[in-house]
Amino acid sequence: MTKFTLEVEPDLDFDLIGICSNHSDYRLTWSLNATLGIDLTKNTDNFQVSGKKGQIVGTFSLYEFIHPETHTEYYLIKNKNNNETLIPEKPQLDYFLVIRENFDLDLDELLARVKMVPSVQTAFSFYPEELKSASNFIF
């Protein structure tokens, strides 16, 4: 009997901005909403990361907004919760702003606007493919 293994590559087609901020998630969200003209709201379900056997290995605060006209999706996910880190190779980052279905935003301009938020110490954009644990962003 021949055994086949199906390996599926994760869909990493999204923009990613890492944010350093000492402020709480709700305070950062309020500032991002005011500066970017969006309406991120807290999801009642936290963002969960599952292990290889399906067990939940981490839960992280999640805010989301889908633009009603462009359908661009914005997700603000906290990188740290208790002793867990969503993206272990970026422990210096406090939050990630994930942008999906982005067909009209200039990422450099968006990054510059994020950096203008008073509660943001610094922000970086990078390609999800650069991260070993980028599959943690799949939801």
Side-chain angles (χ1 to χ4, degrees):
M1 182 169 158
T2 305
K3 187 175 185 179
F4 295 97
T5 303
L6 176 63
E7 292 187 26
V8 179
E9 291 291 320
D11 179 14
L12 301 178
D13 188 21
F14 54 87
D15 296 313
L16 190 59
I17 295 176
I19 299 173
C20 293
S21 175
N22 289 331
H23 289 276
S24 61
D25 52 359
Y26 63 87
R27 188 166 175 191
L28 174 63
T29 299
W30 183 86
S31 297
L32 286 171
N33 284 342
T35 302
L36 302 179
I38 59 176
D39 190 23
L40 289 163
T41 56
K42 185 157 178 61
N43 189 314
T44 54
D45 298 324
N46 284 330
F47 185 73
Q48 298 181 339
V49 177
S50 299
K52 293 182 180 182
K53 296 181 181 178
Q55 78 282 14
I56 295 173
V57 295
T59 58
F60 304 91
S61 181
L62 171 66
Y63 291 78
E64 60 187 355
F65 170 69
I66 300 175
H67 194 283
E69 295 171 8
T70 64
H71 304 289
T72 303
E73 302 172 11
Y74 299 83
Y75 301 95
L76 181 69
I77 307 171
K78 196 167 185 178
N79 191 34
K80 301 170 191 166
N81 185 27
N82 299 325
N83 290 328
E84 304 163 337
T85 306
L86 176 64
I87 303 298
E89 57 268 35
K90 297 289 184 185
Q92 70 277 21
L93 297 175
D94 300 302
Y95 300 92
F96 288 98
L97 183 62
V98 179
I99 303 102
R100 295 182 186 272
E101 303 297 321
N102 178 15
F103 301 109
D104 62 341
L105 288 173
D106 180 330
L107 189 61
D108 291 332
E109 182 181 315
L110 181 65
L111 178 61
R113 291 174 62 203
V114 168
K115 287 181 177 182
M116 289 174 26
V117 172
S119 59
V120 171
Q121 294 168 320
T122 190
F124 308 93
S125 67
F126 44 91
Y127 298 105
E129 298 84 9
E130 296 174 11
L131 305 172
K132 292 179 188 176
S133 54
S135 61
N136 288 352
F137 286 116
I138 306 304
F139 54 100

Coordinates of all heavy atoms in Angstrom, one line a residue, residues 12-19 36 72-75 96-116 123-130:
L12 N 0.4 33.1 2.6 CA 1.0 34.3 3.2 C 0.8 35.6 2.4 O 1.7 36.4 2.4 CB 2.5 34.0 3.4 CG 2.8 32.8 4.3 CD1 4.3 32.6 4.4 CD2 2.2 32.9 5.7
D13 N -0.3 35.7 1.7 CA -0.6 36.8 0.9 C -1.2 37.9 1.7 O -2.5 38.1 1.7 CB -1.5 36.4 -0.3 CG -1.6 37.5 -1.3 OD1 -0.8 38.4 -1.3 OD2 -2.6 37.5 -2.0
F14 N -0.4 38.6 2.5 CA -0.9 39.7 3.3 C 0.3 40.6 3.7 O 1.4 40.3 3.5 CB -1.6 39.3 4.6 CG -0.8 38.3 5.5 CD1 0.1 38.9 6.4 CD2 -0.9 37.0 5.4 CE1 0.8 38.0 7.2 CE2 -0.1 36.1 6.2 CZ 0.7 36.6 7.1
D15 N -0.1 41.9 4.0 CA 0.9 42.8 4.5 C 1.1 42.8 6.0 O 0.1 42.5 6.7 CB 0.5 44.3 4.0 CG 0.5 44.4 2.5 OD1 1.4 43.9 1.8 OD2 -0.5 45.0 2.0
L16 N 2.3 43.1 6.5 CA 2.5 42.9 7.9 C 3.4 44.0 8.4 O 4.4 44.4 7.8 CB 3.3 41.6 8.1 CG 3.5 41.1 9.5 CD1 2.1 40.8 10.2 CD2 4.2 39.7 9.4
I17 N 2.8 44.7 9.5 CA 3.6 45.7 10.2 C 3.7 45.3 11.6 O 2.7 45.0 12.3 CB 2.8 47.1 10.0 CG1 2.8 47.5 8.6 CG2 3.5 48.1 10.9 CD1 1.9 48.8 8.4
G18 N 5.0 45.3 12.1 CA 5.2 45.1 13.5 C 5.3 46.4 14.2 O 5.9 47.4 13.7
I19 N 4.7 46.4 15.4 CA 4.6 47.7 16.2 C 5.2 47.5 17.6 O 4.9 46.5 18.3 CB 3.1 48.1 16.3 CG1 2.5 48.4 14.9 CG2 3.0 49.4 17.2 CD1 1.0 48.6 14.9
L36 N -5.6 56.4 11.4 CA -5.7 55.7 10.1 C -7.1 55.9 9.5 O -7.4 55.5 8.4 CB -5.4 54.3 10.2 CG -3.9 53.9 10.7 CD1 -3.7 52.4 10.8 CD2 -2.9 54.6 9.8
T72 N -10.8 45.8 2.4 CA -9.5 45.6 3.0 C -9.7 45.2 4.4 O -10.5 45.8 5.1 CB -8.7 46.9 2.9 OG1 -8.6 47.3 1.5 CG2 -7.3 46.7 3.5
E73 N -9.0 44.2 4.8 CA -9.2 43.7 6.2 C -8.0 44.1 7.0 O -6.8 43.9 6.6 CB -9.2 42.1 6.2 CG -10.4 41.6 5.3 CD -10.3 40.1 5.2 OE1 -9.5 39.4 5.9 OE2 -11.1 39.6 4.3
Y74 N -8.2 44.6 8.2 CA -7.2 45.0 9.2 C -7.4 44.2 10.4 O -8.4 44.0 11.0 CB -7.4 46.5 9.6 CG -7.3 47.5 8.4 CD1 -8.4 47.7 7.6 CD2 -6.1 48.2 8.2 CE1 -8.3 48.7 6.6 CE2 -6.0 49.1 7.2 CZ -7.1 49.3 6.4 OH -7.0 50.3 5.4
Y75 N -6.2 43.6 10.9 CA -6.2 42.9 12.2 C -5.1 43.4 13.0 O -3.9 43.4 12.5 CB -6.1 41.4 11.9 CG -7.2 40.8 11.0 CD1 -7.0 40.7 9.6 CD2 -8.4 40.4 11.6 CE1 -8.0 40.2 8.8 CE2 -9.4 39.9 10.8 CZ -9.2 39.8 9.4 OH -10.2 39.3 8.6
F96 N 1.2 43.2 16.0 CA 1.2 43.1 14.6 C 0.0 43.6 13.9 O -1.1 43.3 14.4 CB 1.4 41.6 14.1 CG 2.8 41.0 14.5 CD1 3.0 40.3 15.6 CD2 3.8 41.3 13.6 CE1 4.2 39.8 15.9 CE2 5.1 40.8 13.9 CZ 5.3 40.0 15.1
L97 N 0.1 44.4 12.9 CA -1.0 44.9 12.1 C -1.0 44.1 10.8 O 0.0 44.2 10.0 CB -0.9 46.4 11.9 CG -2.1 47.0 11.1 CD1 -3.4 46.9 11.9 CD2 -1.8 48.5 10.8
V98 N -1.9 43.3 10.6 CA -2.0 42.4 9.5 C -3.1 43.0 8.5 O -4.2 43.3 9.0 CB -2.5 41.0 9.8 CG1 -2.6 40.1 8.6 CG2 -1.5 40.4 10.8
I99 N -2.7 43.2 7.3 CA -3.6 43.8 6.3 C -3.8 42.8 5.2 O -2.8 42.4 4.5 CB -3.1 45.2 5.7 CG1 -2.8 46.1 6.9 CG2 -4.1 45.8 4.7 CD1 -1.4 46.3 7.2
R100 N -5.0 42.4 5.0 CA -5.4 41.4 3.9 C -6.3 42.1 2.9 O -6.9 43.0 3.2 CB -6.1 40.2 4.5 CG -5.3 39.4 5.5 CD -6.1 38.2 5.9 NE -5.5 37.4 7.0 CZ -4.6 36.4 6.7 NH1 -4.4 36.1 5.5 NH2 -4.0 35.8 7.7
E101 N -6.3 41.5 1.7 CA -7.1 42.0 0.6 C -6.8 43.5 0.3 O -7.7 44.3 0.0 CB -8.6 41.8 0.9 CG -9.0 40.4 1.2 CD -8.8 39.5 0.0 OE1 -9.1 39.9 -1.1 OE2 -8.4 38.3 0.3
N102 N -5.5 43.8 0.4 CA -5.1 45.2 0.1 C -4.8 45.4 -1.3 O -3.7 44.9 -1.8 CB -3.8 45.5 1.0 CG -3.3 46.9 0.7 OD1 -4.0 47.7 0.2 ND2 -2.1 47.1 1.2
F103 N -5.7 46.1 -2.0 CA -5.5 46.4 -3.4 C -5.3 47.8 -3.7 O -5.1 48.2 -4.9 CB -6.7 45.8 -4.2 CG -6.8 44.3 -4.1 CD1 -7.9 43.8 -3.3 CD2 -5.9 43.4 -4.6 CE1 -8.1 42.5 -3.2 CE2 -6.1 42.1 -4.4 CZ -7.1 41.6 -3.7
D104 N -5.4 48.7 -2.7 CA -5.3 50.1 -3.0 C -4.5 50.9 -2.0 O -4.2 52.1 -2.2 CB -6.7 50.7 -3.0 CG -7.5 50.6 -1.7 OD1 -7.1 49.8 -0.9 OD2 -8.4 51.4 -1.5
L105 N -4.0 50.3 -0.9 CA -3.2 51.0 0.1 C -1.7 50.9 -0.3 O -1.2 49.9 -0.6 CB -3.4 50.4 1.5 CG -4.7 50.7 2.2 CD1 -4.7 49.9 3.5 CD2 -4.9 52.2 2.5
D106 N -1.0 52.1 -0.1 CA 0.4 52.1 -0.3 C 1.0 51.7 1.1 O 0.8 52.5 2.1 CB 0.9 53.5 -0.7 CG 2.4 53.6 -0.9 OD1 3.1 52.9 -0.2 OD2 2.8 54.4 -1.7
L107 N 1.7 50.6 1.2 CA 2.2 50.1 2.5 C 3.2 51.1 3.1 O 3.2 51.3 4.3 CB 2.8 48.7 2.3 CG 3.1 48.0 3.7 CD1 1.9 47.8 4.5 CD2 3.8 46.7 3.4
D108 N 4.0 51.7 2.3 CA 5.0 52.7 2.9 C 4.3 53.9 3.5 O 4.6 54.4 4.6 CB 6.0 53.1 1.8 CG 6.9 52.0 1.4 OD1 7.2 51.1 2.2 OD2 7.4 52.0 0.2
E109 N 3.2 54.3 2.8 CA 2.4 55.5 3.4 C 1.7 55.0 4.6 O 1.7 55.8 5.6 CB 1.4 55.9 2.3 CG 0.6 57.1 2.7 CD -0.4 57.5 1.7 OE1 0.0 57.6 0.5 OE2 -1.6 57.8 2.1
L110 N 1.1 53.8 4.6 CA 0.5 53.3 5.8 C 1.4 53.2 7.0 O 1.1 53.6 8.1 CB -0.2 52.0 5.5 CG -1.0 51.3 6.7 CD1 -2.2 52.2 7.1 CD2 -1.4 49.9 6.3
L111 N 2.6 52.7 6.7 CA 3.7 52.6 7.8 C 4.0 53.9 8.3 O 4.1 54.1 9.5 CB 4.9 51.8 7.2 CG 6.1 51.7 8.2 CD1 5.7 50.9 9.4 CD2 7.2 51.0 7.4
A112 N 4.2 54.9 7.5 CA 4.5 56.3 7.9 C 3.4 56.8 8.8 O 3.7 57.5 9.8 CB 4.7 57.2 6.7
R113 N 2.2 56.5 8.5 CA 1.0 57.0 9.3 C 1.0 56.3 10.7 O 0.7 56.9 11.7 CB -0.3 56.9 8.5 CG -0.3 57.8 7.4 CD -1.5 57.6 6.5 NE -2.8 57.8 7.2 CZ -3.9 57.3 6.8 NH1 -4.0 56.6 5.7 NH2 -5.0 57.6 7.5
V114 N 1.3 55.0 10.7 CA 1.4 54.2 11.9 C 2.4 54.8 12.8 O 2.3 55.0 14.0 CB 1.6 52.7 11.6 CG1 2.0 52.0 12.9 CG2 0.4 52.1 11.0
K115 N 3.6 55.2 12.2 CA 4.7 55.7 13.0 C 4.3 57.1 13.6 O 4.9 57.5 14.6 CB 5.9 55.9 12.2 CG 6.6 54.5 11.9 CD 7.9 54.7 11.0 CE 8.6 53.4 10.8 NZ 9.8 53.6 10.0
M116 N 3.3 57.8 13.1 CA 2.9 59.1 13.6 C 2.0 58.9 14.8 O 1.8 59.9 15.5 CB 2.1 59.8 12.5 CG 3.0 60.3 11.4 SD 2.1 61.1 10.0 CE 0.6 61.7 10.6
A123 N 7.8 51.2 14.3 CA 7.0 50.2 13.5 C 7.9 49.8 12.3 O 8.7 50.6 11.8 CB 5.7 50.8 13.1
F124 N 7.7 48.6 11.9 CA 8.5 48.0 10.8 C 7.5 47.2 9.9 O 6.6 46.6 10.4 CB 9.5 47.0 11.3 CG 10.4 47.6 12.3 CD1 10.1 47.4 13.7 CD2 11.6 48.3 12.0 CE1 10.9 47.8 14.7 CE2 12.4 48.7 13.0 CZ 12.1 48.5 14.3
S125 N 7.7 47.3 8.6 CA 7.0 46.4 7.7 C 8.0 45.3 7.2 O 9.2 45.6 7.1 CB 6.4 47.2 6.5 OG 7.5 47.6 5.7
F126 N 7.5 44.1 7.1 CA 8.3 43.1 6.6 C 7.5 42.0 5.9 O 6.2 42.0 6.0 CB 9.2 42.4 7.6 CG 8.5 42.2 8.9 CD1 7.9 41.0 9.2 CD2 8.5 43.1 9.9 CE1 7.3 40.7 10.4 CE2 7.9 42.9 11.1 CZ 7.3 41.7 11.4
Y127 N 8.1 41.1 5.1 CA 7.4 40.1 4.4 C 7.1 38.9 5.3 O 8.0 38.5 6.0 CB 8.2 39.6 3.2 CG 8.5 40.7 2.2 CD1 9.7 41.3 2.1 CD2 7.4 41.2 1.3 CE1 9.9 42.4 1.2 CE2 7.7 42.2 0.4 CZ 8.9 42.8 0.3 OH 9.1 43.8 -0.6
P128 N 5.9 38.4 5.3 CA 5.6 37.3 6.1 C 6.5 36.1 5.9 O 6.8 35.3 6.8 CB 4.2 36.9 5.8 CG 3.6 38.2 5.2 CD 4.8 38.9 4.6
E129 N 7.0 35.9 4.6 CA 7.9 34.8 4.3 C 9.2 34.8 5.0 O 9.9 33.8 5.1 CB 8.2 34.8 2.8 CG 7.0 34.6 1.9 CD 6.2 36.0 1.6 OE1 6.7 37.1 2.0 OE2 5.1 35.9 1.1
E130 N 9.5 36.0 5.6 CA 10.8 36.1 6.4 C 10.7 35.4 7.7 O 11.7 35.2 8.4 CB 11.1 37.6 6.6 CG 11.4 38.4 5.4 CD 11.5 39.9 5.7 OE1 11.6 40.3 6.9 OE2 11.6 40.7 4.8

